[in-house]
Amino acid sequence: MMIPSVSALAGMAPMTADALQVVGGGLPPAATLSAREVEFPRAAGLAVTPSVGVAPAATAPFDHVLGRLVSEVDAKLQTAEVEKKKVMLGESDNLHQAMLAVGEAGTAFSFLVEVRNKLVESYQEIMRMQV
Amino acid sequence: MNFITGINLSASALDAEKARLEIVSQNVANAQTTRTPEGGAYQRQTVAFESFLAGADASQGVRVARVAPDTAPGPRVHNPGHPDADANGMVAMPNVNLAFEMVDLISASRAYEANLAVVRHARQMAAKALSIGK
């Protein structure tokens, strides 16, 4: 049961905004849809096709998923450091930019921790299998 | 890529409201200024916002389009002893109405808080999504 979830995790890899839209079913961009069409696409008569982006993503090697996530968290932490330094040195009086960058980095890190927990759980499940 | 939805849009709105607040503070500080480098009394500055395409997915952020002076003339006060009085003893005062500035101040402050609330809720949603795996 854990092995399909590991490959599903690999399929989740490119969690960009456009990938999420594609996973939502190949709909036209949200700006052109009415509120009803966005919430209930099938009822509104829009053709909900299977997503196009999942297939290429599933072929990405799995170890690259975690590596990419780690480098992304690192990039966000670097951004947060730069913003904090700008505020503390007085180069920028936009305190909210620093706080938003810190919040974003925190959320990214929590996501990384969750992925790591799932991986460790899957590994332990596999190791528990009787040979 | 953003984990917190719409954080770029909220950040642009917070920048814009902060700029509006700065203009309000400039107006209030110069409410009695009768002499400017351009000559004449201080003219109240107004700020105009415009939307712009913030990301690849056609989401619209906000930014300050321009900071333009309000061209309405200020009141002229009879004060012959004032250093900037003209030949008739009239002094041109700035067209800053403190009541209007206070309303702008409150409006900018509430808009800032509204955008902060959006960010807070978006972050809570992301945290709730992370708890799916727990």
Side-chain angles (χ1 to χ4, degrees), chain A residues 43-95:
Chain A
L46 287 174
V48 181
T49 58
S51 59
V52 178
V54 169
T59 61
F62 182 62
D63 53 349
H64 289 182
V65 170
L66 206 53
R68 241 194 70 175
L69 193 52
V70 167
S71 55
E72 205 145 341
V73 170
D74 188 46
K76 286 195 192 293
L77 282 171
Q78 298 287 348
T79 312
E81 277 302 314
V82 165
E83 292 288 337
K84 276 196 298 188
K85 199 175 286 188
K86 275 203 296 196
V87 169
M88 286 196 284
L89 290 179
E91 291 161 7
S92 156
D93 54 353
N94 281 343
L95 190 56

mmCIF file of all heavy atoms in Angstrom, chain A residues 43-95:
data_model
loop_
_atom_site.group_PDB
_atom_site.id
_atom_site.type_symbol
_atom_site.label_atom_id
_atom_site.label_comp_id
_atom_site.label_asym_id
_atom_site.label_seq_id
_atom_site.Cartn_x
_atom_site.Cartn_y
_atom_site.Cartn_z
ATOM 1 N N ALA A 43 -20.540 20.163 -14.057
ATOM 2 C CA ALA A 43 -21.947 20.588 -14.099
ATOM 3 C C ALA A 43 -22.137 21.724 -15.085
ATOM 4 O O ALA A 43 -23.171 21.829 -15.719
ATOM 5 C CB ALA A 43 -22.397 21.012 -12.704
ATOM 6 N N ALA A 44 -21.116 22.568 -15.215
ATOM 7 C CA ALA A 44 -21.243 23.720 -16.125
ATOM 8 C C ALA A 44 -20.984 23.331 -17.562
ATOM 9 O O ALA A 44 -21.004 24.165 -18.434
ATOM 10 C CB ALA A 44 -20.294 24.829 -15.690
ATOM 11 N N GLY A 45 -20.674 22.058 -17.812
ATOM 12 C CA GLY A 45 -20.564 21.599 -19.188
ATOM 13 C C GLY A 45 -19.177 21.714 -19.779
ATOM 14 O O GLY A 45 -18.994 21.489 -20.963
ATOM 15 N N LEU A 46 -18.187 22.074 -18.973
ATOM 16 C CA LEU A 46 -16.829 22.143 -19.503
ATOM 17 C C LEU A 46 -16.266 20.733 -19.615
ATOM 18 O O LEU A 46 -16.517 19.890 -18.779
ATOM 19 C CB LEU A 46 -15.935 22.964 -18.567
ATOM 20 C CG LEU A 46 -16.170 24.467 -18.559
ATOM 21 C CD1 LEU A 46 -15.317 25.084 -17.495
ATOM 22 C CD2 LEU A 46 -15.835 25.064 -19.899
ATOM 23 N N ALA A 47 -15.490 20.519 -20.676
ATOM 24 C CA ALA A 47 -14.885 19.204 -20.834
ATOM 25 C C ALA A 47 -13.708 19.089 -19.884
ATOM 26 O O ALA A 47 -12.769 19.863 -19.948
ATOM 27 C CB ALA A 47 -14.405 19.040 -22.285
ATOM 28 N N VAL A 48 -13.798 18.146 -18.964
ATOM 29 C CA VAL A 48 -12.710 17.970 -17.998
ATOM 30 C C VAL A 48 -11.845 16.831 -18.490
ATOM 31 O O VAL A 48 -12.159 15.661 -18.297
ATOM 32 C CB VAL A 48 -13.268 17.659 -16.600
ATOM 33 C CG1 VAL A 48 -12.129 17.497 -15.634
ATOM 34 C CG2 VAL A 48 -14.188 18.771 -16.147
ATOM 35 N N THR A 49 -10.743 17.183 -19.143
ATOM 36 C CA THR A 49 -9.860 16.152 -19.698
ATOM 37 C C THR A 49 -8.808 15.770 -18.659
ATOM 38 O O THR A 49 -8.494 16.561 -17.780
ATOM 39 C CB THR A 49 -9.157 16.671 -20.951
ATOM 40 O OG1 THR A 49 -8.426 17.850 -20.581
ATOM 41 C CG2 THR A 49 -10.162 17.037 -22.010
ATOM 42 N N PRO A 50 -8.283 14.566 -18.766
ATOM 43 C CA PRO A 50 -7.212 14.186 -17.840
ATOM 44 C C PRO A 50 -6.035 15.143 -17.996
ATOM 45 O O PRO A 50 -5.789 15.666 -19.069
ATOM 46 C CB PRO A 50 -6.826 12.769 -18.282
ATOM 47 C CG PRO A 50 -7.956 12.300 -19.110
ATOM 48 C CD PRO A 50 -8.620 13.492 -19.692
ATOM 49 N N SER A 51 -5.319 15.363 -16.895
ATOM 50 C CA SER A 51 -4.280 16.372 -16.918
ATOM 51 C C SER A 51 -3.161 15.950 -17.850
ATOM 52 O O SER A 51 -2.863 14.785 -18.028
ATOM 53 C CB SER A 51 -3.731 16.562 -15.511
ATOM 54 O OG SER A 51 -3.216 15.338 -15.062
ATOM 55 N N VAL A 52 -2.531 16.951 -18.457
ATOM 56 C CA VAL A 52 -1.475 16.687 -19.423
ATOM 57 C C VAL A 52 -0.118 16.656 -18.744
ATOM 58 O O VAL A 52 0.796 16.006 -19.200
ATOM 59 C CB VAL A 52 -1.508 17.781 -20.517
ATOM 60 C CG1 VAL A 52 -0.401 17.577 -21.522
ATOM 61 C CG2 VAL A 52 -2.853 17.757 -21.219
ATOM 62 N N GLY A 53 -0.006 17.364 -17.618
ATOM 63 C CA GLY A 53 1.320 17.541 -17.031
ATOM 64 C C GLY A 53 1.773 16.380 -16.172
ATOM 65 O O GLY A 53 2.937 16.278 -15.852
ATOM 66 N N VAL A 54 0.844 15.521 -15.746
ATOM 67 C CA VAL A 54 1.250 14.468 -14.805
ATOM 68 C C VAL A 54 2.123 13.447 -15.507
ATOM 69 O O VAL A 54 3.083 12.940 -14.947
ATOM 70 C CB VAL A 54 0.010 13.791 -14.196
ATOM 71 C CG1 VAL A 54 0.405 12.537 -13.444
ATOM 72 C CG2 VAL A 54 -0.682 14.758 -13.249
ATOM 73 N N ALA A 55 1.837 13.126 -16.775
ATOM 74 C CA ALA A 55 2.564 12.048 -17.458
ATOM 75 C C ALA A 55 4.064 12.336 -17.533
ATOM 76 O O ALA A 55 4.859 11.518 -17.104
ATOM 77 C CB ALA A 55 1.971 11.819 -18.847
ATOM 78 N N PRO A 56 4.504 13.490 -18.017
ATOM 79 C CA PRO A 56 5.955 13.717 -18.037
ATOM 80 C C PRO A 56 6.533 13.737 -16.632
ATOM 81 O O PRO A 56 7.646 13.292 -16.412
ATOM 82 C CB PRO A 56 6.116 15.096 -18.696
ATOM 83 C CG PRO A 56 4.798 15.432 -19.262
ATOM 84 C CD PRO A 56 3.778 14.539 -18.677
ATOM 85 N N ALA A 57 5.785 14.251 -15.649
ATOM 86 C CA ALA A 57 6.328 14.364 -14.297
ATOM 87 C C ALA A 57 6.581 12.980 -13.709
ATOM 88 O O ALA A 57 7.534 12.784 -12.964
ATOM 89 C CB ALA A 57 5.362 15.135 -13.413
ATOM 90 N N ALA A 58 5.732 12.011 -14.049
ATOM 91 C CA ALA A 58 5.884 10.694 -13.436
ATOM 92 C C ALA A 58 7.169 10.020 -13.896
ATOM 93 O O ALA A 58 7.657 9.101 -13.262
ATOM 94 C CB ALA A 58 4.688 9.813 -13.783
ATOM 95 N N THR A 59 7.727 10.488 -15.019
ATOM 96 C CA THR A 59 8.952 9.837 -15.487
ATOM 97 C C THR A 59 10.198 10.467 -14.872
ATOM 98 O O THR A 59 11.302 9.991 -15.112
ATOM 99 C CB THR A 59 9.069 9.936 -17.014
ATOM 100 O OG1 THR A 59 9.123 11.325 -17.349
ATOM 101 C CG2 THR A 59 7.865 9.312 -17.696
ATOM 102 N N ALA A 60 10.058 11.554 -14.069
ATOM 103 C CA ALA A 60 11.239 12.163 -13.449
ATOM 104 C C ALA A 60 11.774 11.212 -12.383
ATOM 105 O O ALA A 60 10.997 10.625 -11.642
ATOM 106 C CB ALA A 60 10.875 13.509 -12.823
ATOM 107 N N PRO A 61 13.088 11.075 -12.285
ATOM 108 C CA PRO A 61 13.642 10.175 -11.269
ATOM 109 C C PRO A 61 13.260 10.645 -9.869
ATOM 110 O O PRO A 61 13.230 11.836 -9.591
ATOM 111 C CB PRO A 61 15.155 10.283 -11.483
ATOM 112 C CG PRO A 61 15.318 10.848 -12.832
ATOM 113 C CD PRO A 61 14.107 11.663 -13.119
ATOM 114 N N PHE A 62 12.993 9.705 -9.021
ATOM 115 C CA PHE A 62 12.420 10.067 -7.737
ATOM 116 C C PHE A 62 13.399 10.796 -6.825
ATOM 117 O O PHE A 62 13.010 11.673 -6.061
ATOM 118 C CB PHE A 62 11.870 8.825 -7.039
ATOM 119 C CG PHE A 62 11.222 9.155 -5.745
ATOM 120 C CD1 PHE A 62 10.118 9.975 -5.706
ATOM 121 C CD2 PHE A 62 11.739 8.693 -4.555
ATOM 122 C CE1 PHE A 62 9.524 10.307 -4.519
ATOM 123 C CE2 PHE A 62 11.143 9.027 -3.356
ATOM 124 C CZ PHE A 62 10.033 9.835 -3.338
ATOM 125 N N ASP A 63 14.682 10.432 -6.916
ATOM 126 C CA ASP A 63 15.619 11.098 -6.004
ATOM 127 C C ASP A 63 15.780 12.569 -6.360
ATOM 128 O O ASP A 63 16.196 13.375 -5.531
ATOM 129 C CB ASP A 63 16.965 10.367 -5.988
ATOM 130 C CG ASP A 63 17.515 10.201 -7.397
ATOM 131 O OD1 ASP A 63 16.767 10.459 -8.366
ATOM 132 O OD2 ASP A 63 18.679 9.779 -7.524
ATOM 133 N N HIS A 64 15.439 12.946 -7.600
ATOM 134 C CA HIS A 64 15.534 14.359 -7.959
ATOM 135 C C HIS A 64 14.437 15.169 -7.299
ATOM 136 O O HIS A 64 14.576 16.376 -7.113
ATOM 137 C CB HIS A 64 15.445 14.539 -9.480
ATOM 138 C CG HIS A 64 16.664 14.042 -10.188
ATOM 139 N ND1 HIS A 64 16.824 14.140 -11.547
ATOM 140 C CD2 HIS A 64 17.786 13.457 -9.731
ATOM 141 C CE1 HIS A 64 17.988 13.618 -11.903
ATOM 142 N NE2 HIS A 64 18.587 13.202 -10.813
ATOM 143 N N VAL A 65 13.326 14.528 -6.966
ATOM 144 C CA VAL A 65 12.208 15.244 -6.342
ATOM 145 C C VAL A 65 12.661 15.900 -5.054
ATOM 146 O O VAL A 65 12.516 17.109 -4.849
ATOM 147 C CB VAL A 65 11.042 14.269 -6.061
ATOM 148 C CG1 VAL A 65 9.990 14.947 -5.208
ATOM 149 C CG2 VAL A 65 10.439 13.801 -7.347
ATOM 150 N N LEU A 66 13.254 15.073 -4.185
ATOM 151 C CA LEU A 66 13.655 15.597 -2.888
ATOM 152 C C LEU A 66 14.776 16.628 -3.042
ATOM 153 O O LEU A 66 14.791 17.658 -2.362
ATOM 154 C CB LEU A 66 14.104 14.438 -1.992
ATOM 155 C CG LEU A 66 13.961 14.680 -0.495
ATOM 156 C CD1 LEU A 66 12.543 15.118 -0.182
ATOM 157 C CD2 LEU A 66 14.291 13.412 0.254
ATOM 158 N N GLY A 67 15.700 16.354 -3.972
ATOM 159 C CA GLY A 67 16.801 17.286 -4.187
ATOM 160 C C GLY A 67 16.293 18.645 -4.635
ATOM 161 O O GLY A 67 16.742 19.690 -4.156
ATOM 162 N N ARG A 68 15.312 18.621 -5.547
ATOM 163 C CA ARG A 68 14.749 19.876 -6.034
ATOM 164 C C ARG A 68 14.036 20.613 -4.916
ATOM 165 O O ARG A 68 14.129 21.835 -4.799
ATOM 166 C CB ARG A 68 13.760 19.590 -7.163
ATOM 167 C CG ARG A 68 14.137 20.219 -8.477
ATOM 168 C CD ARG A 68 13.003 20.188 -9.433
ATOM 169 N NE ARG A 68 11.952 21.115 -9.008
ATOM 170 C CZ ARG A 68 10.866 21.371 -9.710
ATOM 171 N NH1 ARG A 68 10.682 20.752 -10.855
ATOM 172 N NH2 ARG A 68 9.960 22.207 -9.280
ATOM 173 N N LEU A 69 13.337 19.854 -4.080
ATOM 174 C CA LEU A 69 12.606 20.482 -2.987
ATOM 175 C C LEU A 69 13.561 21.134 -2.005
ATOM 176 O O LEU A 69 13.342 22.261 -1.546
ATOM 177 C CB LEU A 69 11.750 19.427 -2.290
ATOM 178 C CG LEU A 69 10.689 19.921 -1.316
ATOM 179 C CD1 LEU A 69 9.841 20.960 -1.968
ATOM 180 C CD2 LEU A 69 9.848 18.746 -0.882
ATOM 181 N N VAL A 70 14.654 20.424 -1.714
ATOM 182 C CA VAL A 70 15.634 20.974 -0.776
ATOM 183 C C VAL A 70 16.239 22.255 -1.341
ATOM 184 O O VAL A 70 16.389 23.260 -0.625
ATOM 185 C CB VAL A 70 16.723 19.926 -0.471
ATOM 186 C CG1 VAL A 70 17.895 20.581 0.225
ATOM 187 C CG2 VAL A 70 16.163 18.825 0.397
ATOM 188 N N SER A 71 16.577 22.236 -2.633
ATOM 189 C CA SER A 71 17.186 23.450 -3.194
ATOM 190 C C SER A 71 16.173 24.588 -3.241
ATOM 191 O O SER A 71 16.523 25.755 -3.091
ATOM 192 C CB SER A 71 17.757 23.178 -4.578
ATOM 193 O OG SER A 71 16.783 22.639 -5.412
ATOM 194 N N GLU A 72 14.895 24.243 -3.402
ATOM 195 C CA GLU A 72 13.876 25.295 -3.418
ATOM 196 C C GLU A 72 13.711 25.920 -2.035
ATOM 197 O O GLU A 72 13.594 27.142 -1.892
ATOM 198 C CB GLU A 72 12.556 24.701 -3.881
ATOM 199 C CG GLU A 72 11.694 25.740 -4.475
ATOM 200 C CD GLU A 72 10.857 25.272 -5.611
ATOM 201 O OE1 GLU A 72 11.149 24.232 -6.226
ATOM 202 O OE2 GLU A 72 9.897 25.966 -5.875
ATOM 203 N N VAL A 73 13.693 25.065 -1.010
ATOM 204 C CA VAL A 73 13.612 25.576 0.368
ATOM 205 C C VAL A 73 14.828 26.443 0.656
ATOM 206 O O VAL A 73 14.724 27.511 1.267
ATOM 207 C CB VAL A 73 13.506 24.412 1.370
ATOM 208 C CG1 VAL A 73 13.675 24.908 2.782
ATOM 209 C CG2 VAL A 73 12.177 23.717 1.224
ATOM 210 N N ASP A 74 15.983 25.985 0.175
ATOM 211 C CA ASP A 74 17.201 26.762 0.389
ATOM 212 C C ASP A 74 17.098 28.130 -0.270
ATOM 213 O O ASP A 74 17.472 29.148 0.315
ATOM 214 C CB ASP A 74 18.392 25.985 -0.182
ATOM 215 C CG ASP A 74 19.699 26.636 0.189
ATOM 216 O OD1 ASP A 74 19.863 26.994 1.366
ATOM 217 O OD2 ASP A 74 20.550 26.808 -0.703
ATOM 218 N N ALA A 75 16.568 28.161 -1.502
ATOM 219 C CA ALA A 75 16.416 29.438 -2.210
ATOM 220 C C ALA A 75 15.493 30.363 -1.440
ATOM 221 O O ALA A 75 15.752 31.564 -1.305
ATOM 222 C CB ALA A 75 15.878 29.188 -3.617
ATOM 223 N N LYS A 76 14.402 29.809 -0.896
ATOM 224 C CA LYS A 76 13.462 30.646 -0.146
ATOM 225 C C LYS A 76 14.101 31.176 1.130
ATOM 226 O O LYS A 76 13.875 32.330 1.519
ATOM 227 C CB LYS A 76 12.200 29.858 0.186
ATOM 228 C CG LYS A 76 11.328 29.663 -1.028
ATOM 229 C CD LYS A 76 9.946 29.221 -0.643
ATOM 230 C CE LYS A 76 9.179 28.761 -1.853
ATOM 231 N NZ LYS A 76 8.903 29.854 -2.789
ATOM 232 N N LEU A 77 14.905 30.336 1.778
ATOM 233 C CA LEU A 77 15.596 30.802 2.983
ATOM 234 C C LEU A 77 16.577 31.910 2.645
ATOM 235 O O LEU A 77 16.726 32.871 3.394
ATOM 236 C CB LEU A 77 16.308 29.633 3.658
ATOM 237 C CG LEU A 77 15.408 28.698 4.471
ATOM 238 C CD1 LEU A 77 16.173 27.474 4.916
ATOM 239 C CD2 LEU A 77 14.851 29.414 5.676
ATOM 240 N N GLN A 78 17.277 31.763 1.490
ATOM 241 C CA GLN A 78 18.206 32.819 1.076
ATOM 242 C C GLN A 78 17.467 34.123 0.831
ATOM 243 O O GLN A 78 17.916 35.201 1.242
ATOM 244 C CB GLN A 78 18.928 32.426 -0.228
ATOM 245 C CG GLN A 78 19.782 31.190 -0.141
ATOM 246 C CD GLN A 78 21.055 31.434 0.636
ATOM 247 O OE1 GLN A 78 21.413 32.576 0.918
ATOM 248 N NE2 GLN A 78 21.724 30.379 1.011
ATOM 249 N N THR A 79 16.306 34.031 0.151
ATOM 250 C CA THR A 79 15.508 35.233 -0.098
ATOM 251 C C THR A 79 15.108 35.891 1.214
ATOM 252 O O THR A 79 15.194 37.118 1.357
ATOM 253 C CB THR A 79 14.227 34.873 -0.878
ATOM 254 O OG1 THR A 79 14.567 34.057 -1.968
ATOM 255 C CG2 THR A 79 13.504 36.109 -1.348
ATOM 256 N N ALA A 80 14.688 35.051 2.176
ATOM 257 C CA ALA A 80 14.263 35.590 3.470
ATOM 258 C C ALA A 80 15.426 36.294 4.158
ATOM 259 O O ALA A 80 15.262 37.378 4.736
ATOM 260 C CB ALA A 80 13.720 34.466 4.353
ATOM 261 N N GLU A 81 16.634 35.694 4.067
ATOM 262 C CA GLU A 81 17.806 36.320 4.683
ATOM 263 C C GLU A 81 18.102 37.676 4.049
ATOM 264 O O GLU A 81 18.385 38.654 4.742
ATOM 265 C CB GLU A 81 19.038 35.411 4.514
ATOM 266 C CG GLU A 81 19.145 34.314 5.534
ATOM 267 C CD GLU A 81 19.176 34.837 6.946
ATOM 268 O OE1 GLU A 81 19.924 35.806 7.209
ATOM 269 O OE2 GLU A 81 18.419 34.310 7.780
ATOM 270 N N VAL A 82 18.035 37.718 2.716
ATOM 271 C CA VAL A 82 18.319 38.970 2.001
ATOM 272 C C VAL A 82 17.327 40.054 2.410
ATOM 273 O O VAL A 82 17.710 41.205 2.690
ATOM 274 C CB VAL A 82 18.284 38.719 0.480
ATOM 275 C CG1 VAL A 82 18.198 40.016 -0.287
ATOM 276 C CG2 VAL A 82 19.497 37.939 0.048
ATOM 277 N N GLU A 83 16.042 39.679 2.466
ATOM 278 C CA GLU A 83 15.022 40.666 2.831
ATOM 279 C C GLU A 83 15.224 41.158 4.257
ATOM 280 O O GLU A 83 15.110 42.354 4.543
ATOM 281 C CB GLU A 83 13.627 40.040 2.695
ATOM 282 C CG GLU A 83 13.214 39.736 1.273
ATOM 283 C CD GLU A 83 12.899 40.986 0.487
ATOM 284 O OE1 GLU A 83 12.573 42.024 1.096
ATOM 285 O OE2 GLU A 83 12.990 40.929 -0.747
ATOM 286 N N LYS A 84 15.518 40.208 5.172
ATOM 287 C CA LYS A 84 15.727 40.604 6.571
ATOM 288 C C LYS A 84 16.904 41.546 6.692
ATOM 289 O O LYS A 84 16.854 42.550 7.408
ATOM 290 C CB LYS A 84 15.979 39.343 7.435
ATOM 291 C CG LYS A 84 14.724 38.661 7.890
ATOM 292 C CD LYS A 84 14.975 37.691 9.022
ATOM 293 C CE LYS A 84 15.899 36.585 8.632
ATOM 294 N NZ LYS A 84 15.975 35.543 9.681
ATOM 295 N N LYS A 85 17.972 41.244 5.953
ATOM 296 C CA LYS A 85 19.165 42.087 6.024
ATOM 297 C C LYS A 85 18.859 43.483 5.491
ATOM 298 O O LYS A 85 19.297 44.487 6.050
ATOM 299 C CB LYS A 85 20.291 41.436 5.216
ATOM 300 C CG LYS A 85 21.668 41.947 5.567
ATOM 301 C CD LYS A 85 22.739 41.187 4.840
ATOM 302 C CE LYS A 85 22.937 39.815 5.420
ATOM 303 N NZ LYS A 85 24.106 39.122 4.841
ATOM 304 N N LYS A 86 18.057 43.542 4.405
ATOM 305 C CA LYS A 86 17.727 44.845 3.841
ATOM 306 C C LYS A 86 16.964 45.680 4.854
ATOM 307 O O LYS A 86 17.186 46.887 4.997
ATOM 308 C CB LYS A 86 16.873 44.674 2.572
ATOM 309 C CG LYS A 86 17.682 44.439 1.329
ATOM 310 C CD LYS A 86 16.945 44.806 0.058
ATOM 311 C CE LYS A 86 15.733 43.949 -0.156
ATOM 312 N NZ LYS A 86 15.233 44.022 -1.541
ATOM 313 N N VAL A 87 16.046 45.053 5.576
ATOM 314 C CA VAL A 87 15.250 45.799 6.552
ATOM 315 C C VAL A 87 16.133 46.241 7.712
ATOM 316 O O VAL A 87 16.075 47.386 8.157
ATOM 317 C CB VAL A 87 14.069 44.948 7.055
ATOM 318 C CG1 VAL A 87 13.407 45.611 8.238
ATOM 319 C CG2 VAL A 87 13.069 44.737 5.955
ATOM 320 N N MET A 88 16.995 45.333 8.184
ATOM 321 C CA MET A 88 17.803 45.668 9.362
ATOM 322 C C MET A 88 18.842 46.728 9.056
ATOM 323 O O MET A 88 19.194 47.529 9.911
ATOM 324 C CB MET A 88 18.447 44.403 9.906
ATOM 325 C CG MET A 88 17.434 43.531 10.616
ATOM 326 S SD MET A 88 18.180 42.295 11.651
ATOM 327 C CE MET A 88 18.710 41.138 10.428
ATOM 328 N N LEU A 89 19.336 46.753 7.810
ATOM 329 C CA LEU A 89 20.326 47.772 7.456
ATOM 330 C C LEU A 89 19.661 49.072 7.055
ATOM 331 O O LEU A 89 20.339 50.056 6.781
ATOM 332 C CB LEU A 89 21.198 47.278 6.295
ATOM 333 C CG LEU A 89 22.161 46.160 6.639
ATOM 334 C CD1 LEU A 89 22.941 45.753 5.400
ATOM 335 C CD2 LEU A 89 23.122 46.586 7.721
ATOM 336 N N GLY A 90 18.337 49.085 6.996
ATOM 337 C CA GLY A 90 17.644 50.307 6.664
ATOM 338 C C GLY A 90 17.557 50.589 5.177
ATOM 339 O O GLY A 90 17.125 51.662 4.780
ATOM 340 N N GLU A 91 17.975 49.632 4.327
ATOM 341 C CA GLU A 91 17.879 49.874 2.887
ATOM 342 C C GLU A 91 16.433 49.800 2.409
ATOM 343 O O GLU A 91 16.093 50.304 1.359
ATOM 344 C CB GLU A 91 18.697 48.828 2.126
ATOM 345 C CG GLU A 91 20.183 48.975 2.328
ATOM 346 C CD GLU A 91 20.909 47.686 1.965
ATOM 347 O OE1 GLU A 91 20.267 46.761 1.443
ATOM 348 O OE2 GLU A 91 22.111 47.615 2.234
ATOM 349 N N SER A 92 15.593 49.105 3.180
ATOM 350 C CA SER A 92 14.207 48.964 2.766
ATOM 351 C C SER A 92 13.349 49.148 4.002
ATOM 352 O O SER A 92 13.663 48.629 5.064
ATOM 353 C CB SER A 92 13.993 47.579 2.149
ATOM 354 O OG SER A 92 12.642 47.222 2.242
ATOM 355 N N ASP A 93 12.245 49.911 3.864
ATOM 356 C CA ASP A 93 11.353 50.020 5.016
ATOM 357 C C ASP A 93 10.121 49.145 4.832
ATOM 358 O O ASP A 93 9.111 49.334 5.499
ATOM 359 C CB ASP A 93 10.959 51.481 5.246
ATOM 360 C CG ASP A 93 10.367 52.108 4.004
ATOM 361 O OD1 ASP A 93 10.380 51.455 2.949
ATOM 362 O OD2 ASP A 93 9.900 53.249 4.100
ATOM 363 N N ASN A 94 10.213 48.188 3.891
ATOM 364 C CA ASN A 94 9.096 47.273 3.665
ATOM 365 C C ASN A 94 9.241 46.075 4.589
ATOM 366 O O ASN A 94 9.727 45.013 4.186
ATOM 367 C CB ASN A 94 9.063 46.830 2.201
ATOM 368 C CG ASN A 94 8.464 47.891 1.322
ATOM 369 O OD1 ASN A 94 7.804 48.796 1.809
ATOM 370 N ND2 ASN A 94 8.710 47.781 0.033
ATOM 371 N N LEU A 95 8.796 46.261 5.802
ATOM 372 C CA LEU A 95 8.894 45.178 6.786
ATOM 373 C C LEU A 95 8.068 43.974 6.364
ATOM 374 O O LEU A 95 8.441 42.829 6.603
ATOM 375 C CB LEU A 95 8.402 45.719 8.135
ATOM 376 C CG LEU A 95 8.617 44.874 9.364
ATOM 377 C CD1 LEU A 95 10.081 44.549 9.521
ATOM 378 C CD2 LEU A 95 8.119 45.631 10.573
#
